């Protein structure tokens, strides 16, 4: 089902543009912002994070898009468990960004003089970024069942998490309240793993996995509860 949804998304210009244009834009902005300094060999990981999270934010409106297509009520009343019906849909937007961002970031960084160093910690960081996005996607999808304008929140989710992840600025350079908030998100720890160089910071890996489990559990519980309430009140297609 995830592959099926991904094929459908690749036929929609909005999702294709988000998946391909965001990593390129982020990479160029990072290089311009470096002020001509030495290119960072780990830039490609930050680009992967930016691209994957950009498509993940569309989870805020992807269920609303199903409402627009007229398939939301059928999905919510499917004989399949809710997790089996909705998880592939949410996972598809995450994997769309990851599948596009990884090769695009490697090519862009190599072409623009920021040759990827391809260290083990960086590959582990990429895997953790995808896992983190998959665990955060359900929480983004919950608002769409409460409002028809949930897609309007996507830019807010995008910029805030980009900032807190440490991809735009190191978390250590953020104001103390923001830095504390950043370390409460799995993406900040996922990006921190890439900074380990030749040595994998397993403490950051462990913290990222723990936070992924917490956010994933709470997000899916909230999503399933909202779906159940919507079915009970008969407002799946109207909310």
């Amino acid at each position: 089902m995830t592959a099926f949804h991904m094929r459908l998304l690749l036929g929609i210009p909005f999702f294709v543009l988000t998946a391909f244009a965001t990593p390129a834009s982020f990479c160029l902005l990072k290089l311009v912002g470096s002020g001509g300094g030495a290119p960072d060999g780990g830039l490609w990981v930050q680009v992967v994070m930016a691209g994957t999270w950009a498509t993940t934010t569309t989870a805020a409106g992807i269920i609303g898009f199903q409402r627009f297509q007229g398939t939301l009520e059928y999905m919510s009343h499917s004989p399949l468990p809710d997790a089996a019906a909705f998880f592939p849909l949410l996972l598809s937007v995450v994997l769309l960004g990851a599948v596009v961002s990884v090769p695009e970031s490697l090519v862009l960084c190599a072409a623009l003089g920021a040759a990827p160093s391809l260290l083990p910690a960086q590959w582990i960081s990429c895997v953790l970024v995808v896992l983190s996005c998959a665990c955060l996607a359900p929480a983004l999808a919950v608002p769409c069942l409460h409002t028809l304008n949930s897609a309007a929140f996507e830019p807010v989710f995008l910029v805030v998490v980009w900032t807190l992840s440490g991809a735009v600025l190191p978390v250590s350079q953020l104001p103390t309240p923001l830095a504390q908030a950043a370390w409460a998100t799995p993406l900040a720890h996922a990006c921190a793993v890439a900074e380990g160089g030749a040595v994998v910071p397993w403490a950051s890996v462990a913290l990222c996995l723990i936070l992924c489990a917490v956010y994933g559990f709470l997000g899916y519980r909230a999503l399933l509860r909202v779906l159940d309430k919507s079915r009970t009140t008969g407002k799946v297609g109207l909310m």
Side-chain angles (χ1 to χ4, degrees):
M1 284 297 293
T2 300
F4 168 76
H5 287 301
M6 288 182 67
R7 287 195 297 270
L8 291 180
L9 295 178
L10 286 172
I12 302 172
F14 169 77
F15 291 101
V16 174
L17 183 62
T18 300
F20 282 91
T22 304
S25 300
F26 188 87
C27 183
L28 291 173
L29 287 172
K30 285 287 290 185
L31 289 174
V32 170
S34 66
D40 183 2
L43 174 62
W44 72 279
V45 179
Q46 298 173 354
V47 175
V48 169
M49 191 289 301
T52 305
W53 179 248
T55 58
T56 301
T57 58
T58 62
I62 192 68
I63 296 181
F65 183 65
Q66 300 303 311
R67 180 191 289 112
F68 171 77
Q69 290 184 311
T71 57
L72 178 57
E73 292 185 69
Y74 296 102
M75 291 179 65
S76 64
H77 291 89
S78 168
L80 294 173
D82 286 335
F86 285 92
F87 178 73
L89 176 63
L90 299 176
L91 185 60
S92 66
V93 295
V94 176
L95 293 182
L96 176 65
V99 168
V100 172
S101 297
V102 172
E104 184 178 359
S105 66
L106 293 172
V107 172
L108 277 174
C109 290
L112 295 175
S117 47
L118 302 178
L119 298 173
Q122 294 174 352
W123 287 109
I124 294 174
S125 177
C126 285
V127 173
L128 292 175
V129 163
V130 177
L131 178 62
S132 299
C133 289
C135 292
L136 290 170
L140 298 181
V142 170
C144 79
L145 291 173
H146 288 289
T147 174
L148 295 174
N149 301 314
S150 56
F153 300 118
E154 291 176 8
V156 178
F157 295 141
L158 178 68
V159 175
V160 169
V161 175
W162 271 3
T163 303
L164 295 180
S165 69
V168 177
L169 285 174
V171 175
S172 59
Q173 295 183 18
L174 296 175
T176 302
L178 289 180
Q180 293 174 343
W183 293 124
T185 65
L187 276 171
H189 295 281
C191 291
V193 171
E195 300 173 2
V199 179
V200 178
W202 294 109
S204 294
V205 174
L207 287 171
C208 180
L209 293 175
I210 291 171
L211 288 172
C212 282
V214 172
Y215 279 93
F217 175 77
L218 295 178
Y220 274 105
R221 290 293 298 175
L223 179 60
L224 298 181
R225 183 171 181 176
V226 170
L227 285 170
D228 186 60
K229 183 178 180 181
S230 298
R231 276 194 296 267
T232 302
T233 57
K235 294 183 179 180
V236 174
L238 300 176
M239 292 176 65

